[in-house]
């Protein structure tokens, strides 16, 4: 039965890679197929298909969905009130004609945006103004798009929604996830800075030689007040410095962004309007999280767990050194929606590693967090990679080639850190 489930997983990967089915639909079908192969009854018990997989599984990541919605709400407010645009313009004014300084500034803003919301919205917040500004001072289009992506990746270890996701998906306490993420952040930051410095010097062009692809007409809003620029930092400070839970931290950021940028009489109107827009932004990841929850419920069924655990245990590397060597070599499998992408089939793989007791729970969290650093930047099918690349005027595959050596290094660092701490 275990072999049959693995074959079914492989078929699911093919369906996602070939885009025959959207990832969310493929994961739901995969969850149902695994449940059938595991011998789960259709109705009745908590481990049945209707109750355990579809009903309970769909709500497994409910806390993550709320965190994603709130992060999207704050991101929408940062766009609507001009907070993100003001941050980028201030950086460009400070950097003048120096490509490296301008790129480092946009990289810093991208970290803030990536720590609030992920995917394409984060890239848009930093890139709509930042990418044309970098190209205008001589940064190559590939490096301009890559700078935004590397910044979002560096901010990812501080993204509260990602903490909640790893906690819910793997059953780990938020404190354990936070501990790993905080240690991962300096690596992503240092490697990201190295990328910016190397790429801006290697690929810089004089302004007169650059043919600018003008962005679509966009009405410039007035600058947000300086104290409103602290909005993206507030949730991070509350969660990290004062151990405030994730949802209240994000709510505090939303309220602060509202009251520091909006007249009293317009608070409710802007708040409600931006919340409705946030639903549009958050809809794709929420749908994906519903499907991932079902998949996690399916691989945790007694029949699936009993069938998969011996197989996965026999092929999983033993010892800290082989853990690092093997999983670092498998990094490409997290690209193109591959089987180690934790926002896809990788969640099921992680679920098997956890439920089977093959590695300690913190080690699985560290492993998946390391892969997250790679595919969130270098996967040409990620929405943020597609948007940033196309907005800069290059193909997503060129962004992958440019960033992968750096993100692979971050992933390797995360695995070494995981092995040292938990194996």
């Amino acid at each position: 039965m275990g072999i049959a489930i693995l074959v079914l997983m492989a078929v699911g990967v093919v369906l996602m890679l070939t885009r025959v089915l959207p990832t969310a639909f493929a994961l739901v079908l995969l969850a149902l197929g695994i449940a059938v192969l595991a011998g789960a009854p259709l109705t009745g018990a908590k481990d049945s298909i209707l109750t355990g997989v579809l009903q309970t599984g769909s709500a497994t990541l409910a806390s993550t969905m709320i965190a994603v919605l709130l992060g999207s709400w704050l991101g929408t407010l940062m766009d609507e009130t001009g907070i993100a645009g003001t941050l980028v313009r201030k950086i460009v004014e400070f950097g003048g004609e120096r490509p490296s300084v301008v790129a480092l500034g946009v990289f810093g803003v991208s970290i803030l945006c990536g720590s609030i919301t992920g995917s394409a919205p984060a890239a848009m917040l930093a890139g709509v103004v930042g990418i044309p500004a970098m190209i205008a001072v001589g940064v190559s289009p590939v490096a301009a798009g890559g700078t935004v992506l590397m910044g979002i990746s560096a901010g990812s270890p501080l993204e509260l929604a990602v903490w909640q996701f790893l906690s819910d998906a793997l059953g780990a306490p938020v404190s354990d996830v936070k501990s790993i993420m905080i240690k991962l952040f300096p690596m992503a930051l240092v490697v990201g800075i190295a990328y910016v410095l190397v790429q801006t010097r290697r690929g810089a062009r004089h302004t007169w030689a650059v043919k600018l692809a003008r962005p679509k007409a966009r009405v410039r809003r007035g600058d947000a007040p300086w104290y409103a620029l602290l909005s993206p930092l507030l949730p991070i400070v509350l969660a990290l410095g004062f151990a405030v839970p994730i949802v209240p931290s994000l709510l505090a950021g939303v309220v602060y962004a509202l009251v520091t940028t909006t007249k009293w009489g317009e608070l409710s109107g802007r708040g409600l309007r931006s919340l409705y827009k946030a639903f549009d932004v958050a809809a794709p990841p929420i749908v994906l999280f519903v499907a991932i929850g079902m998949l996690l419920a399916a691989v945790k069924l007694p029949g699936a767990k009993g069938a998969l655990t011996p197989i996965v245990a026999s092929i999983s590397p033993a010892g800290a050194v082989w853990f690092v060597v093997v999983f670092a070599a498998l990094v490409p499998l997290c690209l193109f929606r591959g089987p180690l992408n934790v926002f896809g089939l990788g969640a099921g793989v992680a679920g098997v590693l956890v439920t089977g007791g093959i590695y300690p729970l913190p080690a699985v969290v560290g492993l998946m967090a390391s892969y997250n650093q790679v595919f969130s930047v270098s996967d040409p099918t990620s929405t943020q990679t597609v948007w940033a690349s196309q907005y800069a005027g290059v193909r997503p595959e060129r962004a992958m080639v440019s960033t992968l050596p750096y993100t692979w290094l971050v992933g390797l660092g995360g695995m070494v850190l995981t092995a040292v701490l938990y194996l």
Side-chain angles (χ1 to χ4, degrees):
M1 184 196 304
I3 298 296
I5 293 176
L6 292 178
V7 171
L8 183 63
M9 287 181 168
V11 172
V13 171
V14 172
L15 292 176
M16 287 184 279
L17 286 177
T18 56
R19 301 188 180 184
V20 172
L21 281 178
T23 300
F25 292 172
L27 293 180
V28 172
L29 292 178
L30 195 54
L32 293 173
I34 291 173
V36 170
L37 290 175
L42 179 63
T43 61
K46 66 176 184 179
D47 290 328
S48 67
I49 295 175
L50 295 185
T51 303
V53 177
L54 297 183
Q55 174 68 27
T56 306
S58 61
T60 298
L61 302 178
S63 297
T64 304
M65 299 175 204
I66 295 173
V68 167
L69 177 60
L70 292 176
S72 300
W73 191 6
L74 181 53
T76 303
L77 277 173
M78 287 174 59
D79 179 39
E80 186 171 316
T81 60
I83 293 175
T86 303
L87 281 169
V88 176
R89 281 195 293 274
K90 295 295 183 186
I91 292 297
V92 172
E93 291 170 4
F94 174 77
E97 298 296 324
R98 294 168 292 182
S100 296
V101 177
V102 173
L104 283 174
V106 176
F107 173 75
V109 175
S110 302
I111 292 175
L112 290 176
C113 296
S115 66
I116 293 302
T117 182
S119 196
M124 292 177 185
L125 285 174
V128 163
V129 178
I131 289 177
M134 285 188 284
I135 294 175
V137 296
V139 178
S140 71
V142 173
T147 295
V148 171
L149 293 171
M150 292 296 292
I152 292 172
S153 176
S156 180
L158 303 179
E159 187 183 353
L160 303 187
V162 172
W163 294 8
Q164 191 68 63
F165 170 71
L166 291 175
S167 173
D168 290 343
L170 303 181
V174 173
S175 57
D176 286 356
V177 177
K178 180 173 73 172
S179 174
I180 294 170
M181 290 302 205
I182 295 305
K183 295 179 179 68
L184 198 55
F185 173 67
M187 296 184 189
L189 178 65
V190 171
V191 174
I193 291 174
Y195 172 87
V196 173
L197 294 178
V198 171
Q199 294 297 322
T200 52
R201 292 180 180 178
R202 175 187 297 173
R205 293 187 294 176
H206 296 292
T207 304
W208 54 264
V210 176
K211 182 180 180 181
L212 285 177
R214 294 184 179 277
K216 295 180 180 178
R218 183 179 176 87
V219 178
R220 171 173 173 166
R221 304 181 179 95
D223 284 351
W226 68 267
Y227 43 86
L229 305 186
L230 301 175
S231 299
L233 287 175
L234 183 60
I236 301 171
V237 171
L238 290 175
L240 285 180
F242 299 92
V244 177
I246 290 173
V247 168
S249 297
L250 288 169
L251 272 175
V254 169
V255 172
Y256 184 80
L258 265 176
V259 299
T260 54
T261 57
T262 309
K263 295 178 181 178
W264 181 256
E266 300 174 0
L267 280 176
S268 59
R270 170 170 279 176
L272 196 59
R273 185 173 62 252
S274 56
L275 176 58
Y276 288 162
K277 288 183 180 178
F279 275 98
D280 290 338
V281 175
I286 286 177
V287 170
L288 190 59
F289 291 144
V290 170
I292 290 174
M294 294 180 185
L295 179 62
L296 287 171
V299 298
K300 290 178 182 176
L301 290 170
K305 179 181 174 182
L308 288 173
T309 299
I311 298 175
V312 177
S314 64
I315 61 176
S316 298
V321 173
W322 283 112
F323 176 90
V324 173
V325 171
V326 172
F327 284 117
L330 295 179
V331 157
L333 295 182
C334 74
L335 302 175
F336 294 98
R337 305 287 174 182
L340 292 180
N341 185 323
V342 74
F343 290 95
L345 187 56
V349 175
V352 173
L353 294 176
V354 171
T355 56
I358 298 169
Y359 298 115
L361 178 57
V364 180
V365 174
L367 178 65
M368 291 301 152
S370 301
Y371 283 133
N372 182 50
Q373 292 302 125
V374 179
F375 69 74
S376 65
V377 172
S378 301
D379 188 344
T381 67
S382 295
T383 54
Q384 64 268 29
T385 305
V386 172
W387 184 89
S389 303
Q390 293 182 344
Y391 191 69
V394 299
R395 291 178 56 82
E397 289 79 6
R398 289 190 62 192
M400 178 187 71
V401 172
S402 172
T403 59
L404 186 56
Y406 298 86
T407 56
W408 205 327
L409 185 60
V410 177
L412 174 61
M415 292 172 194
V416 171
L417 179 69
T418 298
V420 170
L421 292 177
Y422 306 116
L423 294 180

